[in-house]
Amino acid sequence: VGSDQVHYWTLLTSQALDTVWRIAKASVILAISFLVATICYFKSLHLYLGHRLKWWIGYLQRKFKRNLSVEAEVDLLSYCAKEWKAETPHAKLMRKAYEELFWRHHIKCVRQVKRDNYDALRSVLFQIFSRGISFPSWMKEKDIVKLPEKLLFSQGCNWIQQYSFGPEKYTGSNVFGKLRKYVELLKIQWSEFNGIKDYHKRGSMCNILFSDAILEYKLYEALKFLMLYQVTEAYEQMKTNKAIPSLFRLLFARETSCDPLSFMMNHLNFVGDTCGLEQIDMFILGYSLEVKIKVFRLFKFNSRDFEVRYPEEPFREWPEIPLLTENDRHYHIPVF
């Protein structure tokens, strides 16, 4: 009887321990499974929140960071090494051209300019404002805000209603009102920058202006109109056999710009939309603003056309505006 009782209690203890072990094992497995599931959940949550946080950071940066159309100065040779690292003949030519600018012309930095069909106008206007260059002499003598009406009523240029505002392609009876507002805006901004004597303050003001795409657009359209006005004035003088600069004779010698209307319809209306300024337009721009636009054409390195000026006539008192281009389509600002 005693042996049976020992066997009974041994068996009962063994069964109890086996049951406890199974329950403990199942609990441990369940706990581990729960822990693994929890870790996987929080890992997925971490990845999701990380992606969302990254998206929001990028969104806020795009929302509040100024999108400058003229960037800060960067080292010229570093920019060249980044842009022209290939071993093609053209890339080697460009590297040599940049080295020429650095060593011979003492250009140490470059400002990259937003690549669009306004970048030539942007590159010139930025330097006029940042350097505080004053109005052209002819703009001091005339109220440029009244020029749109003058062309219509004094010179009978009713065709100006076909003027197109770059990509907006707006034409109609309100053209004169829009042009007047844009020219007045240019006059106000130009006067403000010219009145600021502190170079650093002008730089800060430029950063504000050249991060406002809508405001920029209006200023560039005003510049286009001033070019058209000068072309119209030269054409009227030519009709009365008065002497005009040679650049205008070259302009009127082309079939597509034989008069102001054809110049506007075939060339100027497309600037800012499908094309930028051509070389003859650069002459007109320099003449209209009374600046000498000096362009380093890097793709013409080792030729007589590597360094050109618009206009070519030696107007000694006009300030010089330097530009560089790699293809005659897009321009950047060299910094000496």
Side-chain angles (χ1 to χ4, degrees), residues 55-136:
W55 185 89
W56 276 106
I57 290 174
Y59 171 79
L60 292 174
Q61 286 178 339
R62 293 190 299 271
K63 186 74 174 177
F64 296 104
K65 182 180 178 182
R66 286 176 182 163
N67 184 23
L68 296 178
S69 60
V70 179
E71 297 183 15
E73 300 175 10
V74 296
D75 179 75
L76 183 76
L77 295 183
S78 298
Y79 168 79
C80 171
K82 178 182 177 182
E83 295 293 322
W84 299 99
K85 60 181 67 174
E87 293 300 323
T88 62
H90 183 64
K92 292 179 180 179
L93 177 71
M94 298 304 292
R95 287 200 294 269
K96 290 180 179 178
Y98 274 105
E99 290 173 1
E100 174 81 0
L101 295 183
F102 187 86
W103 295 110
R104 184 173 179 182
H105 297 277
H106 309 292
I107 297 174
K108 305 304 180 184
C109 298
V110 62
R111 283 181 176 270
Q112 292 178 255
V113 178
K114 179 182 177 181
R115 291 175 178 265
D116 61 15
N117 291 316
Y118 284 120
D119 60 0
L121 295 169
R122 179 180 294 111
S123 301
V124 172
L125 189 63
F126 178 88
Q127 295 188 73
I128 289 176
F129 284 179
S130 64
R131 291 164 53 182
I133 295 174
S134 62
F135 284 114

Coordinates of all heavy atoms in Angstrom, one line a residue, residues 55-136:
W55 N 8.6 63.9 -45.0 CA 7.8 64.5 -46.0 C 7.4 65.9 -45.5 O 7.4 66.9 -46.3 CB 6.5 63.7 -46.3 CG 5.7 64.3 -47.4 CD1 5.7 64.1 -48.7 CD2 4.6 65.3 -47.2 NE1 4.8 64.8 -49.4 CE2 4.1 65.5 -48.5 CE3 4.0 65.9 -46.1 CZ2 3.0 66.4 -48.7 CZ3 3.0 66.8 -46.3 CH2 2.5 67.0 -47.6
W56 N 7.0 66.0 -44.2 CA 6.6 67.3 -43.7 C 7.8 68.3 -43.6 O 7.6 69.5 -43.8 CB 6.0 67.1 -42.3 CG 4.5 66.8 -42.4 CD1 4.0 65.5 -42.1 CD2 3.4 67.6 -42.7 NE1 2.6 65.6 -42.3 CE2 2.2 66.9 -42.7 CE3 3.4 69.0 -43.1 CZ2 1.0 67.4 -43.0 CZ3 2.1 69.5 -43.4 CH2 1.0 68.7 -43.3
I57 N 8.9 67.8 -43.2 CA 10.1 68.6 -43.2 C 10.4 69.2 -44.6 O 10.7 70.4 -44.8 CB 11.3 67.9 -42.7 CG1 11.2 67.6 -41.2 CG2 12.6 68.7 -42.9 CD1 12.2 66.7 -40.6
G58 N 10.3 68.3 -45.6 CA 10.6 68.8 -47.0 C 9.5 69.8 -47.4 O 9.8 70.8 -48.1
Y59 N 8.3 69.5 -47.0 CA 7.2 70.4 -47.4 C 7.4 71.8 -46.8 O 7.2 72.8 -47.4 CB 5.8 69.8 -46.9 CG 4.7 70.8 -47.1 CD1 4.1 71.0 -48.3 CD2 4.2 71.5 -46.0 CE1 3.0 71.9 -48.4 CE2 3.1 72.3 -46.1 CZ 2.5 72.6 -47.3 OH 1.5 73.4 -47.4
L60 N 7.7 71.8 -45.5 CA 7.9 73.1 -44.8 C 9.1 73.8 -45.3 O 9.1 75.1 -45.4 CB 8.1 72.8 -43.3 CG 6.8 72.3 -42.5 CD1 7.1 72.0 -41.1 CD2 5.7 73.3 -42.6
Q61 N 10.1 73.1 -45.7 CA 11.3 73.7 -46.3 C 10.9 74.4 -47.6 O 11.3 75.5 -47.9 CB 12.4 72.7 -46.5 CG 13.1 72.3 -45.2 CD 14.2 71.3 -45.4 OE1 14.2 70.6 -46.5 NE2 15.1 71.2 -44.5
R62 N 10.2 73.6 -48.4 CA 9.7 74.2 -49.7 C 8.8 75.4 -49.5 O 8.8 76.3 -50.3 CB 9.1 73.1 -50.6 CG 10.0 72.0 -51.0 CD 9.3 71.2 -52.1 NE 8.1 70.5 -51.6 CZ 8.1 69.3 -51.0 NH1 9.2 68.7 -50.8 NH2 7.0 68.8 -50.5
K63 N 8.0 75.3 -48.4 CA 7.0 76.4 -48.2 C 7.6 77.6 -47.7 O 7.2 78.7 -48.1 CB 6.0 75.8 -47.1 CG 4.8 76.7 -46.9 CD 3.8 76.7 -48.0 CE 2.6 77.5 -47.7 NZ 1.6 77.5 -48.8
F64 N 8.6 77.5 -46.8 CA 9.1 78.7 -46.2 C 10.5 79.1 -46.7 O 10.9 80.2 -46.4 CB 9.1 78.5 -44.7 CG 7.7 78.4 -44.1 CD1 7.3 77.1 -43.7 CD2 6.9 79.4 -44.0 CE1 6.0 76.9 -43.2 CE2 5.6 79.3 -43.5 CZ 5.2 78.0 -43.1
K65 N 11.2 78.2 -47.3 CA 12.5 78.6 -47.8 C 12.4 79.4 -49.1 O 11.6 79.1 -50.0 CB 13.3 77.3 -48.1 CG 14.8 77.6 -48.6 CD 15.5 76.3 -48.9 CE 16.9 76.6 -49.4 NZ 17.6 75.4 -49.7
R66 N 13.2 80.5 -49.2 CA 13.1 81.3 -50.4 C 13.7 80.6 -51.6 O 14.8 80.1 -51.5 CB 13.9 82.6 -50.1 CG 13.2 83.6 -49.2 CD 14.0 84.8 -48.9 NE 13.3 85.7 -48.0 CZ 14.0 86.7 -47.4 NH1 15.3 86.8 -47.5 NH2 13.3 87.5 -46.6
N67 N 13.0 80.6 -52.6 CA 13.4 79.9 -53.8 C 14.1 81.0 -54.7 O 13.5 81.6 -55.6 CB 12.3 79.3 -54.6 CG 12.7 78.5 -55.8 OD1 13.9 78.1 -55.9 ND2 11.8 78.3 -56.7
L68 N 15.4 81.3 -54.4 CA 16.1 82.3 -55.1 C 16.3 82.0 -56.6 O 16.8 80.9 -56.9 CB 17.4 82.6 -54.4 CG 17.4 83.1 -53.0 CD1 18.8 83.2 -52.4 CD2 16.6 84.4 -52.9
S69 N 16.0 82.9 -57.4 CA 16.3 82.7 -58.9 C 17.7 83.1 -59.2 O 18.2 82.7 -60.3 CB 15.3 83.5 -59.7 OG 15.4 84.9 -59.4
V70 N 18.4 83.8 -58.3 CA 19.8 84.0 -58.5 C 20.5 83.5 -57.2 O 20.3 84.0 -56.1 CB 20.2 85.5 -58.6 CG1 21.7 85.7 -58.8 CG2 19.5 86.0 -59.9
E71 N 21.3 82.4 -57.3 CA 21.8 81.7 -56.1 C 23.0 82.5 -55.6 O 23.6 83.4 -56.2 CB 22.2 80.3 -56.5 CG 20.9 79.5 -56.9 CD 21.3 78.0 -57.2 OE1 22.4 77.6 -56.8 OE2 20.5 77.3 -57.8
A72 N 23.5 82.0 -54.4 CA 24.6 82.6 -53.8 C 25.9 82.3 -54.5 O 25.9 81.3 -55.3 CB 24.7 82.1 -52.3
E73 N 26.9 83.0 -54.2 CA 28.2 82.8 -54.9 C 28.8 81.4 -54.6 O 28.8 81.0 -53.4 CB 29.2 83.9 -54.5 CG 28.8 85.3 -54.9 CD 29.8 86.3 -54.4 OE1 30.8 85.9 -53.9 OE2 29.4 87.5 -54.4
V74 N 29.3 80.7 -55.6 CA 30.1 79.5 -55.3 C 31.4 79.6 -56.1 O 31.6 80.3 -57.0 CB 29.3 78.2 -55.8 CG1 28.0 78.1 -55.1 CG2 29.0 78.4 -57.3
D75 N 32.4 78.8 -55.6 CA 33.7 78.8 -56.2 C 33.6 78.4 -57.7 O 33.0 77.4 -58.0 CB 34.6 77.9 -55.5 CG 36.0 77.9 -56.1 OD1 36.8 78.8 -55.9 OD2 36.4 76.9 -56.8
L76 N 34.3 79.2 -58.5 CA 34.2 79.0 -60.0 C 34.7 77.6 -60.4 O 34.0 76.9 -61.1 CB 34.9 80.1 -60.7 CG 34.8 80.0 -62.3 CD1 33.5 80.5 -62.7 CD2 35.9 80.9 -62.9
L77 N 35.9 77.3 -60.0 CA 36.5 76.0 -60.4 C 35.8 74.8 -59.8 O 35.7 73.7 -60.4 CB 38.0 76.0 -60.0 CG 38.8 77.0 -60.8 CD1 40.3 76.9 -60.4 CD2 38.7 76.9 -62.3
S78 N 35.2 74.9 -58.6 CA 34.5 73.9 -58.0 C 33.2 73.6 -58.8 O 32.8 72.5 -59.0 CB 34.1 74.2 -56.5 OG 35.3 74.3 -55.8
Y79 N 32.5 74.7 -59.2 CA 31.3 74.6 -60.0 C 31.7 73.9 -61.3 O 30.9 73.0 -61.8 CB 30.8 76.0 -60.3 CG 29.7 76.0 -61.3 CD1 28.4 75.6 -61.1 CD2 30.0 76.5 -62.6 CE1 27.4 75.6 -62.0 CE2 29.0 76.5 -63.6 CZ 27.7 76.1 -63.3 OH 26.8 76.1 -64.3
C80 N 32.8 74.3 -62.0 CA 33.2 73.7 -63.2 C 33.5 72.2 -63.1 O 33.0 71.4 -63.9 CB 34.5 74.4 -63.7 SG 35.2 73.6 -65.2
A81 N 34.2 71.8 -62.0 CA 34.5 70.4 -61.8 C 33.2 69.6 -61.6 O 33.2 68.4 -62.0 CB 35.4 70.3 -60.6
K82 N 32.2 70.2 -61.0 CA 31.0 69.5 -60.7 C 30.2 69.3 -62.0 O 29.6 68.3 -62.3 CB 30.1 70.2 -59.7 CG 28.8 69.6 -59.4 CD 28.0 70.4 -58.4 CE 26.6 69.8 -58.1 NZ 25.8 70.6 -57.2
E83 N 30.1 70.4 -62.8 CA 29.3 70.4 -64.0 C 29.9 69.7 -65.2 O 29.3 69.2 -66.1 CB 28.9 71.8 -64.4 CG 28.1 72.5 -63.4 CD 26.7 72.0 -63.3 OE1 26.1 71.6 -64.3 OE2 26.2 71.9 -62.1
W84 N 31.3 69.7 -65.3 CA 32.0 69.3 -66.5 C 33.0 68.2 -66.1 O 34.2 68.4 -66.3 CB 32.6 70.4 -67.3 CG 31.6 71.4 -67.7 CD1 31.2 72.6 -67.1 CD2 30.7 71.3 -68.9 NE1 30.2 73.2 -67.8 CE2 29.9 72.4 -68.9 CE3 30.6 70.3 -69.9 CZ2 28.9 72.6 -69.9 CZ3 29.6 70.5 -70.8 CH2 28.8 71.6 -70.9
K85 N 32.6 67.1 -65.5 CA 33.5 66.1 -65.1 C 33.8 65.0 -66.1 O 34.7 64.2 -65.9 CB 33.0 65.4 -63.8 CG 31.6 64.7 -64.0 CD 31.1 64.1 -62.7 CE 30.8 65.2 -61.7 NZ 30.2 64.6 -60.5
A86 N 33.1 65.0 -67.2 CA 33.2 64.0 -68.3 C 34.6 64.2 -69.0 O 35.2 65.3 -68.9 CB 32.1 64.0 -69.2
E87 N 34.9 63.3 -69.8 CA 36.2 63.4 -70.6 C 35.9 63.6 -72.1 O 36.8 63.2 -72.9 CB 37.0 62.1 -70.4 CG 37.6 61.9 -69.0 CD 38.5 63.1 -68.6 OE1 39.2 63.6 -69.4 OE2 38.4 63.5 -67.4
T88 N 34.7 64.1 -72.4 CA 34.4 64.4 -73.8 C 35.2 65.6 -74.3 O 35.6 66.4 -73.4 CB 32.9 64.6 -74.0 OG1 32.5 65.7 -73.2 CG2 32.1 63.4 -73.5
P89 N 35.4 65.8 -75.6 CA 36.1 67.0 -76.1 C 35.4 68.3 -75.6 O 36.1 69.2 -75.3 CB 36.0 66.8 -77.6 CG 35.9 65.3 -77.8 CD 35.1 64.8 -76.7
H90 N 34.1 68.3 -75.6 CA 33.4 69.5 -75.2 C 33.6 69.8 -73.7 O 33.8 71.0 -73.4 CB 31.9 69.4 -75.5 CG 31.1 70.6 -75.2 ND1 31.3 71.8 -75.9 CD2 30.1 70.8 -74.3 CE1 30.4 72.7 -75.4 NE2 29.7 72.1 -74.4
A91 N 33.6 68.8 -72.9 CA 33.8 69.0 -71.5 C 35.2 69.5 -71.2 O 35.4 70.4 -70.4 CB 33.5 67.7 -70.7
K92 N 36.2 69.0 -71.9 CA 37.5 69.4 -71.8 C 37.7 70.9 -72.2 O 38.4 71.7 -71.5 CB 38.5 68.5 -72.6 CG 38.6 67.1 -72.1 CD 39.5 66.3 -72.9 CE 39.6 64.9 -72.4 NZ 40.5 64.0 -73.3
L93 N 37.0 71.3 -73.3 CA 37.0 72.7 -73.7 C 36.4 73.6 -72.7 O 36.9 74.7 -72.4 CB 36.2 72.8 -75.0 CG 36.1 74.2 -75.6 CD1 37.4 74.7 -76.1 CD2 35.0 74.3 -76.7
M94 N 35.3 73.2 -72.0 CA 34.7 74.0 -71.0 C 35.5 74.1 -69.8 O 35.6 75.2 -69.2 CB 33.3 73.4 -70.6 CG 32.3 73.3 -71.7 SD 32.0 74.9 -72.6 CE 31.1 75.7 -71.2
R95 N 36.3 73.1 -69.4 CA 37.2 73.2 -68.3 C 38.3 74.2 -68.6 O 38.7 75.0 -67.7 CB 37.7 71.8 -67.9 CG 36.7 70.9 -67.3 CD 37.4 69.7 -66.5 NE 38.1 68.8 -67.4 CZ 37.5 67.7 -68.0 NH1 36.3 67.4 -67.7 NH2 38.3 67.0 -68.8
K96 N 38.8 74.2 -69.8 CA 39.8 75.1 -70.1 C 39.3 76.5 -70.1 O 40.0 77.5 -69.7 CB 40.4 74.8 -71.5 CG 41.2 73.5 -71.5 CD 41.7 73.2 -72.9 CE 42.6 71.9 -73.0 NZ 43.1 71.6 -74.4
A97 N 38.1 76.7 -70.6 CA 37.5 78.0 -70.6 C 37.3 78.6 -69.2 O 37.6 79.7 -68.9 CB 36.1 78.0 -71.3
Y98 N 36.8 77.7 -68.3 CA 36.7 78.2 -66.9 C 38.0 78.5 -66.3 O 38.1 79.4 -65.5 CB 35.9 77.1 -66.1 CG 34.5 77.2 -66.2 CD1 33.7 76.3 -66.9 CD2 33.8 78.2 -65.5 CE1 32.3 76.4 -67.0 CE2 32.4 78.3 -65.5 CZ 31.7 77.4 -66.3 OH 30.3 77.5 -66.4
E99 N 39.0 77.7 -66.6 CA 40.4 78.0 -66.0 C 40.9 79.3 -66.6 O 41.6 80.1 -65.9 CB 41.3 76.9 -66.4 CG 41.1 75.6 -65.7 CD 41.9 74.4 -66.2 OE1 42.7 74.6 -67.1 OE2 41.8 73.3 -65.7
E100 N 40.5 79.6 -67.8 CA 40.9 80.9 -68.4 C 40.3 82.1 -67.6 O 40.9 83.1 -67.3 CB 40.5 81.0 -69.9 CG 40.7 82.3 -70.6 CD 42.1 82.5 -71.1 OE1 42.9 81.6 -70.9 OE2 42.3 83.6 -71.7
L101 N 39.0 81.9 -67.3 CA 38.3 82.9 -66.5 C 38.9 83.1 -65.2 O 39.1 84.2 -64.7 CB 36.8 82.6 -66.3 CG 35.9 82.5 -67.6 CD1 34.5 82.2 -67.2 CD2 36.0 83.8 -68.4
F102 N 39.3 82.0 -64.5 CA 39.9 82.1 -63.2 C 41.2 82.7 -63.1 O 41.5 83.6 -62.3 CB 39.9 80.6 -62.6 CG 40.3 80.6 -61.2 CD1 39.4 80.7 -60.2 CD2 41.7 80.4 -60.8 CE1 39.7 80.7 -58.8 CE2 42.0 80.4 -59.5 CZ 41.1 80.5 -58.5
W103 N 42.1 82.3 -64.0 CA 43.5 82.7 -64.0 C 43.7 84.1 -64.7 O 44.5 84.9 -64.2 CB 44.4 81.7 -64.5 CG 44.4 80.4 -63.7 CD1 43.9 79.2 -64.0 CD2 44.9 80.3 -62.3 NE1 44.1 78.3 -63.0 CE2 44.7 78.9 -61.9 CE3 45.6 81.1 -61.4 CZ2 45.1 78.4 -60.7 CZ3 46.0 80.6 -60.2 CH2 45.7 79.3 -59.8
R104 N 43.2 84.2 -65.9 CA 43.4 85.4 -66.7 C 42.5 86.6 -66.4 O 42.9 87.7 -66.3 CB 43.4 85.1 -68.2 CG 43.8 86.2 -69.1 CD 43.9 85.8 -70.5 NE 44.2 86.9 -71.4 CZ 44.3 86.9 -72.7 NH1 44.1 85.7 -73.3 NH2 44.6 87.9 -73.4
H105 N 41.2 86.3 -66.2 CA 40.3 87.3 -66.0 C 39.9 87.5 -64.5 O 39.1 88.4 -64.2 CB 39.0 87.0 -66.8 CG 39.2 87.0 -68.2 ND1 39.2 88.1 -69.0 CD2 39.4 86.0 -69.1 CE1 39.4 87.8 -70.3 NE2 39.6 86.5 -70.4
H106 N 40.5 86.7 -63.6 CA 40.4 86.9 -62.2 C 39.0 86.8 -61.7 O 38.6 87.5 -60.7 CB 41.0 88.3 -61.7 CG 42.4 88.5 -62.2 ND1 43.5 87.8 -61.8 CD2 42.8 89.4 -63.2 CE1 44.6 88.2 -62.5 NE2 44.2 89.2 -63.3
I107 N 38.2 85.9 -62.3 CA 36.9 85.6 -61.9 C 37.0 84.4 -60.9 O 37.3 83.3 -61.3 CB 36.0 85.2 -63.1 CG1 35.8 86.5 -64.0 CG2 34.6 84.8 -62.6 CD1 35.1 86.2 -65.3
K108 N 36.6 84.6 -59.7 CA 36.8 83.6 -58.6 C 35.5 82.8 -58.3 O 35.6 81.7 -57.8 CB 37.4 84.3 -57.4 CG 38.7 85.1 -57.6 CD 39.7 84.2 -58.2 CE 41.0 85.0 -58.5 NZ 42.1 84.2 -59.2
C109 N 34.4 83.5 -58.5 CA 33.1 82.8 -58.1 C 32.1 83.0 -59.2 O 32.3 83.8 -60.2 CB 32.6 83.4 -56.8 SG 33.7 83.2 -55.4
V110 N 31.0 82.3 -59.1 CA 29.9 82.4 -60.1 C 28.6 82.3 -59.3 O 28.5 81.6 -58.3 CB 30.0 81.3 -61.1 CG1 29.9 79.9 -60.5 CG2 28.9 81.5 -62.2
R111 N 27.6 83.1 -59.8 CA 26.2 83.0 -59.3 C 25.4 82.3 -60.3 O 25.3 82.7 -61.5 CB 25.6 84.4 -59.0 CG 26.1 85.1 -57.7 CD 25.4 86.4 -57.6 NE 25.7 87.1 -56.4 CZ 25.0 87.0 -55.2 NH1 24.0 86.2 -55.2 NH2 25.4 87.7 -54.2
Q112 N 24.8 81.1 -60.0 CA 24.0 80.4 -60.9 C 22.6 81.1 -61.0 O 22.0 81.5 -60.0 CB 23.8 79.0 -60.5 CG 25.0 78.1 -60.5 CD 24.8 76.7 -60.0 OE1 25.2 76.4 -59.0 NE2 24.1 75.9 -60.8
V113 N 22.1 81.2 -62.2 CA 20.9 81.9 -62.5 C 19.8 80.9 -62.9 O 20.2 80.0 -63.7 CB 21.0 83.0 -63.5 CG1 19.7 83.7 -63.8 CG2 22.0 84.1 -63.0
K114 N 18.6 81.0 -62.4 CA 17.5 80.1 -62.8 C 17.5 80.0 -64.3 O 17.4 81.0 -65.1 CB 16.2 80.6 -62.2 CG 15.0 79.7 -62.6 CD 13.8 80.3 -62.0 CE 12.5 79.5 -62.4 NZ 11.3 80.1 -61.9
R115 N 17.4 78.7 -64.8 CA 17.4 78.5 -66.2 C 15.9 78.5 -66.7 O 15.1 77.6 -66.6 CB 18.0 77.1 -66.5 CG 19.5 77.0 -66.3 CD 20.0 75.6 -66.5 NE 21.4 75.5 -66.3 CZ 22.3 75.5 -67.3 NH1 21.9 75.7 -68.5 NH2 23.6 75.4 -67.1
D116 N 15.6 79.6 -67.4 CA 14.3 79.8 -68.1 C 14.5 80.8 -69.2 O 15.7 81.2 -69.5 CB 13.2 80.2 -67.1 CG 13.4 81.5 -66.4 OD1 14.3 82.3 -66.9 OD2 12.7 81.8 -65.4
N117 N 13.5 81.2 -69.8 CA 13.6 82.1 -70.9 C 13.6 83.6 -70.5 O 13.6 84.5 -71.4 CB 12.4 81.9 -71.9 CG 12.6 80.5 -72.6 OD1 13.7 80.2 -73.0 ND2 11.5 79.8 -72.7
Y118 N 13.8 83.8 -69.2 CA 14.0 85.2 -68.7 C 15.4 85.4 -68.2 O 15.7 86.4 -67.6 CB 13.0 85.6 -67.6 CG 11.6 85.9 -68.1 CD1 10.5 85.1 -67.7 CD2 11.3 87.0 -68.9 CE1 9.2 85.4 -68.0 CE2 10.0 87.3 -69.3 CZ 9.0 86.5 -68.9 OH 7.7 86.8 -69.3
D119 N 16.3 84.4 -68.3 CA 17.5 84.4 -67.5 C 18.5 85.5 -67.9 O 19.2 86.0 -67.1 CB 18.2 83.0 -67.4 CG 18.6 82.5 -68.7 OD1 18.3 83.1 -69.7 OD2 19.1 81.3 -68.7
A120 N 18.5 85.9 -69.2 CA 19.3 87.0 -69.6 C 18.9 88.3 -69.0 O 19.7 89.1 -68.4 CB 19.4 87.1 -71.1
L121 N 17.6 88.5 -69.0 CA 17.0 89.7 -68.4 C 17.3 89.7 -66.9 O 17.6 90.7 -66.3 CB 15.5 89.8 -68.7 CG 15.1 90.1 -70.1 CD1 13.6 89.9 -70.3 CD2 15.5 91.4 -70.6
R122 N 17.1 88.5 -66.3 CA 17.3 88.4 -64.8 C 18.7 88.7 -64.5 O 19.0 89.4 -63.5 CB 16.9 87.0 -64.4 CG 17.1 86.7 -62.9 CD 16.7 85.3 -62.6 NE 15.3 85.0 -62.8 CZ 14.8 84.3 -63.7 NH1 15.5 83.6 -64.5 NH2 13.4 84.1 -63.8
S123 N 19.7 88.1 -65.2 CA 21.1 88.3 -64.9 C 21.5 89.8 -65.0 O 22.3 90.2 -64.1 CB 22.0 87.5 -65.9 OG 21.6 86.1 -65.8
V124 N 21.0 90.5 -65.9 CA 21.3 91.9 -66.1 C 20.7 92.7 -65.0 O 21.3 93.6 -64.3 CB 20.9 92.4 -67.5 CG1 21.1 93.9 -67.6 CG2 21.8 91.7 -68.6
L125 N 19.4 92.5 -64.8 CA 18.6 93.3 -63.8 C 19.2 93.1 -62.4 O 19.2 94.0 -61.6 CB 17.1 93.0 -63.9 CG 16.2 94.0 -63.1 CD1 16.3 95.4 -63.6 CD2 14.8 93.5 -63.1
F126 N 19.5 91.9 -62.1 CA 20.0 91.6 -60.7 C 21.3 92.4 -60.5 O 21.5 93.0 -59.4 CB 20.4 90.1 -60.6 CG 21.0 89.7 -59.3 CD1 20.2 89.4 -58.2 CD2 22.4 89.7 -59.1 CE1 20.7 89.0 -57.0 CE2 22.9 89.4 -57.9 CZ 22.1 89.0 -56.8
Q127 N 22.2 92.5 -61.4 CA 23.4 93.3 -61.2 C 23.1 94.8 -61.2 O 23.8 95.5 -60.4 CB 24.4 92.9 -62.3 CG 24.9 91.5 -62.3 CD 26.0 91.2 -63.3 OE1 27.1 91.6 -63.0 NE2 25.7 90.5 -64.3
I128 N 22.2 95.3 -62.0 CA 21.8 96.7 -61.9 C 21.3 97.0 -60.5 O 21.8 98.0 -59.9 CB 20.8 97.0 -63.0 CG1 21.4 97.0 -64.4 CG2 20.2 98.4 -62.7 CD1 20.4 97.2 -65.5
F129 N 20.5 96.2 -60.0 CA 19.9 96.4 -58.6 C 20.9 96.2 -57.5 O 21.1 97.0 -56.6 CB 18.7 95.6 -58.4 CG 17.4 96.0 -59.1 CD1 16.3 95.3 -59.0 CD2 17.5 97.2 -59.9 CE1 15.1 95.8 -59.7 CE2 16.3 97.6 -60.5 CZ 15.1 96.9 -60.4
S130 N 21.7 95.1 -57.6 CA 22.6 94.8 -56.5 C 23.8 95.8 -56.4 O 24.3 96.0 -55.4 CB 23.2 93.4 -56.7 OG 23.9 93.3 -57.9
R131 N 24.1 96.4 -57.6 CA 25.2 97.4 -57.6 C 24.7 98.8 -57.5 O 25.5 99.8 -57.4 CB 26.0 97.2 -58.9 CG 26.8 96.0 -58.9 CD 27.3 95.6 -60.3 NE 28.0 96.7 -61.0 CZ 28.5 96.6 -62.2 NH1 28.3 95.5 -62.9 NH2 29.1 97.6 -62.7
G132 N 23.4 99.0 -57.4 CA 22.8 100.3 -57.3 C 23.1 101.3 -58.5 O 23.2 102.5 -58.3
I133 N 23.1 100.7 -59.7 CA 23.3 101.5 -60.9 C 22.1 102.4 -61.1 O 21.0 102.0 -61.0 CB 23.6 100.5 -62.1 CG1 24.9 99.7 -61.9 CG2 23.6 101.3 -63.4 CD1 25.1 98.7 -62.9
S134 N 22.4 103.6 -61.6 CA 21.3 104.6 -61.7 C 20.6 104.4 -63.0 O 21.0 103.7 -63.9 CB 21.9 106.0 -61.6 OG 22.9 106.2 -62.7
F135 N 19.5 105.2 -63.2 CA 18.7 105.1 -64.4 C 19.5 105.5 -65.6 O 20.4 106.4 -65.5 CB 17.5 106.1 -64.3 CG 16.4 105.7 -63.4 CD1 16.1 106.3 -62.2 CD2 15.6 104.6 -63.8 CE1 15.1 105.9 -61.4 CE2 14.6 104.2 -63.0 CZ 14.3 104.9 -61.8
P136 N 19.2 105.0 -66.8 CA 19.8 105.5 -68.0 C 19.4 107.0 -68.2 O 18.4 107.5 -67.7 CB 19.1 104.7 -69.1 CG 18.6 103.5 -68.4 CD 18.3 103.9 -67.0

